[in-house]
Amino acid sequence: MSALDVRQRVRPEPPGTARREPRVTDEHGRRVRAGELAWRYLLLLAVLALTVGPFLWQLSTSLRGPTEDIYHSPPSFLPARPTLHNYTRVADTIPVWDYALNSLKVATANIVTNCVGSALAGYALARLRFPGRRVTTLVFVLAMLVPVEGIVIAQFTTMRELGLNNTLIGVVLPGAVGAMNVLLMRNAFRGLPYEIEEAAYVDGADVWQRFLRIALPSVKGTLAVVAIFAFMGAWDDFLWPLIVLSDPSKFTLTIGLNYLHGTFADDERLVAAGTVIAVAPLIALFACLQRYFFRGVGEGAVKG
Amino acid sequence: MAVSVRIRRQLPTSPWLFAAPGLLVTGAFVLYPFVSTLVNSFTDRRTLLPGRFVGLANFRELLHDDMFWTGLRNSTLYIAGVVPALVVLPLLLALLVQKNIPGITFFRSAFYTPVVASIVVVGLIWVWLLDERGLVNSLLETIGIGRVGFLSDQWLLLLSAMAVTVWKGLGYYMVIYLAALANVPRELHEAASVDGAGPVRRFFSVTVPAVRSTMVLVAALSSVAAFKVFSEVYLMAGPTGGPAGEDTTLVMLVQRTGTGLTGRVGYASALSVVVFAVTVALMLLVLRADRRDES
């Protein structure tokens, strides 16, 4: 912060200019004029309607009973008699809770493998000396640049060779340790001051102790980012599970929804209830852990 | 001295133990498939049949495959439609949510919600919104424009899918721009104000030059993503790619050709090689444009 900012912040208000309107200030502590404030909020509300409105419309559709006209023009935004009937109907039509459980299994496994694998490899790249370290780093950088869409067919044949197609393990494996996560963890470990670990060598700590007791607790924030993006990536993924899963009993939620849409496209209330089931957990997670979601974008974009 | 201590406390194998899980997964499921895609593209391998080497036959077939040209056209159009919108709109949005006025954190988070939602959920929400009898058409009818077949016309379908991609990406790139805007010195804006520049003038002569490198980054990220588009179009146009398959994208073609028990792995690999080549070319192109701008 420059000296100029500080001066403006502490400058006392001239006497006799007390404003009646509420004093709204921006990030620099300067007052925002009422007119500007009004059009800013107007625009914000308009964008809000565009970004969140579609989700609310889907929720509203899912709560409408079978007799209510959902096609009416002009549309009514609230259901006349809200009912959870469509949610029980989804469960009768497809095993939606099994699909949710499959998604949860895949997402949880993806968190564990990504956190463990990328922390270990990131630590090796950042702190351990070994011949081939540069080549190993390069391997992860190259892997990060390979577009998944270009190798899904080969991943599919690889899974067939391993006998793992049509299993949840097959869904998890290709993304089990994301190269980008390895590089994120490497950078996090490199950012730690070296002195503490050096003191630990002197005290006789071996490499595993230094990793587990000293380095790992200091990078919890980055680890949380990796965990959240691993969860979101697995929960939202579509192309790969679509290719590797063919048995409807193994479907994850996204593939199940695609199936529901393909088979019952005319039943908008049913599809709407299915999509709400799929999106609600992530919106809840996002509401609780926003900080890490935003941090992940920043770190990912800089490295990507 | 410190070095010798370190060496004694670290078994020679332990660095490899640390790196092993990551290297194994990356090797087996990214690098090996990458190499085998390149190799398979020169064979006539099928899902259930081992292939023979066929030289450039797959690539020659590509040139005469109408579906390939349709896919290449749609994926390229997707870049043209999506990238300008994703470079400009999120920047404007970032400027809108940049000022710390009351409630702004709520708006920032709300604008990010579409990023968090699965593309399948987003796709299905818009399929219903843009339905012949859906909300958008109800509103259009109410204001007297009449109903539009967003999901039945080949070109409107592609445009609608692009709009959905932009809608889902807005919040993501907004956050990237917010980080860049935070680094723009306020003195620049003040100096421009003193010189009598209005908000529009200041946008073009202060904000845009200051976030130019971020705009290049966004262009690179969004063009690579746009070229590889799959889910939006698959969900909105259907697995066969809309009327007469005219909305098929390149990755949809890869998926359709290469999977299932009758999948033509060799030919799909040749298609994948085209996806790689264009992706790499796009990245190089954007980076070169960046360097030329700087000099």
Side-chain angles (χ1 to χ4, degrees), chain A residues 137-201:
Chain A
T137 312
L138 192 68
V139 163
F140 286 115
V141 172
L142 287 177
M144 191 179 72
L145 295 176
V146 173
V148 181
E149 291 82 353
I151 57 172
V152 279
I153 299 302
Q155 286 178 331
F156 174 64
T157 51
T158 308
M159 281 304 157
R160 277 188 61 86
E161 283 157 11
L162 294 172
L164 289 172
N165 63 327
N166 217 0
T167 64
L168 293 182
I169 294 177
V171 178
V172 176
L173 270 180
V177 184
M180 161 121 142
N181 293 333
V182 171
L183 297 174
L184 272 181
M185 292 309 300
R186 167 186 175 265
N187 290 350
F189 284 123
R190 277 169 75 107
L192 298 178
Y194 209 78
E195 288 74 19
I196 309 169
E197 276 171 83
E198 213 135 41
Y201 305 141

Side-chain angles (χ1 to χ4, degrees), chain A residues 2 4-5 8 24-28 30 32 36-37 39-41 43-45 47-48 50-52 54-55 57-58 61 70-75 77 117 120-121 123-124 128-132 136 139-140 143 145-147 149-151 153-162 173-174 176-177 194 198 201-202 204-208 210-211 229 232 236 238-239 242-243 254 257-258 261 268 271 275 278-279 282-283 286 290 293-294 297 301 304, chain B residues 2 5-6 9-11 14-19 21-23 25-26 28-34 36-37 40 45 47-48 93 95-122 124-129 131 133-135 137-139 141-142 147 167-168 170 172 175-176 186-187 190 217 221 228 230-231 234-235 251 254-255 258-261 265 268-269 272 275-276 279 283:
Chain A
S2 69
L4 190 72
D5 285 336
Q8 285 182 341
V24 177
T25 55
D26 66 8
E27 67 274 28
H28 303 298
R30 308 174 117 200
V32 182
E36 188 193 335
L37 210 59
W39 71 253
R40 270 183 183 271
Y41 277 115
L43 272 174
L44 285 169
L45 288 173
V47 180
L48 185 70
L50 272 175
T51 50
V52 177
F55 291 102
W57 178 247
Q58 196 77 347
T61 305
I70 55 171
Y71 309 113
H72 197 265
S73 176
F77 289 95
L120 284 171
Y123 188 73
L128 306 181
R129 281 150 193 264
F130 58 102
T136 313
V139 163
F140 286 115
L145 295 176
V146 173
E149 291 82 353
I151 57 172
I153 299 302
Q155 286 178 331
F156 174 64
T157 51
T158 308
M159 281 304 157
R160 277 188 61 86
E161 283 157 11
L162 294 172
L173 270 180
V177 184
Y194 209 78
E198 213 135 41
Y201 305 141
V202 177
D206 70 17
V207 60
W208 292 96
R210 291 190 320 257
F211 169 66
F229 277 74
M232 191 167 86
D236 289 351
F238 182 54
L239 177 60
L242 182 74
I243 287 174
T254 50
L257 274 185
N258 175 51
H261 166 66
E268 283 87 3
V271 177
T275 53
V279 79
L282 259 179
I283 292 187
F286 171 54
Q290 287 170 23
F293 278 85
F294 289 139
V297 177
Chain B
V5 169
R6 196 174 312 156
R9 301 252 166 78
Q10 176 186 307
L11 295 172
S14 54
W16 292 108
L17 283 179
F18 272 83
L23 274 178
V25 170
T26 308
F29 301 111
V30 180
L31 299 179
Y32 169 67
F34 177 73
S36 89
T37 302
N40 283 335
R45 182 174 176 178
T47 307
L48 296 175
L93 203 56
L95 289 171
L96 182 64
V97 299
Q98 190 196 10
K99 269 208 172 126
N100 280 324
I101 54 182
I104 201 68
T105 45
F106 164 76
F107 285 105
R108 275 182 208 152
S109 304
F111 297 171
Y112 195 75
T113 320
V115 182
V116 176
S118 163
I119 185 64
V120 177
V121 168
V122 168
L124 294 183
I125 285 179
W126 282 94
V127 164
W128 168 219
L129 280 170
D131 189 90
R133 299 181 293 177
L135 179 64
N137 271 321
S138 294
L139 292 173
E141 195 177 47
T142 310
R147 291 177 185 261
W167 182 80
K168 191 177 183 340
L170 275 179
Y172 183 80
V175 174
I176 294 182
R186 186 164 59 102
E187 286 74 15
E190 281 176 352
L217 175 75
L221 292 175
K228 298 183 301 186
F230 170 78
S231 308
Y234 180 93
L235 289 158
V251 175
V254 170
Q255 181 261 348
T259 58
L261 295 179
V265 173
S269 300
S272 303
V275 175
F276 285 134
T279 309
M283 282 197 262

Side-chain angles (χ1 to χ4, degrees), chain B residues 168-238:
Chain B
K168 191 177 183 340
L170 275 179
Y172 183 80
Y173 297 111
M174 173 191 86
V175 174
I176 294 182
Y177 275 126
L178 270 177
L181 285 175
N183 296 329
V184 180
R186 186 164 59 102
E187 286 74 15
L188 285 179
H189 278 283
E190 281 176 352
S193 289
V194 171
D195 290 347
V200 177
R201 184 72 200 281
R202 264 182 293 149
F203 173 75
F204 283 109
S205 50
V206 178
T207 309
V208 170
V211 299
R212 201 194 48 86
S213 64
T214 309
M215 293 173 88
V216 173
L217 175 75
V218 171
L221 292 175
S222 61
S223 58
V224 169
F227 188 74
K228 298 183 301 186
V229 65
F230 170 78
S231 308
E232 296 92 316
V233 185
Y234 180 93
L235 289 158
M236 296 175 76

Side-chain angles (χ1 to χ4, degrees), chain B residues 247-268:
Chain B
D247 287 312
T248 302
T249 69
L250 212 49
V251 175
M252 282 172 78
L253 195 59
V254 170
Q255 181 261 348
R256 203 188 306 156
T257 318
T259 58
L261 295 179
T262 54
R264 298 182 60 199
V265 173
Y267 192 59

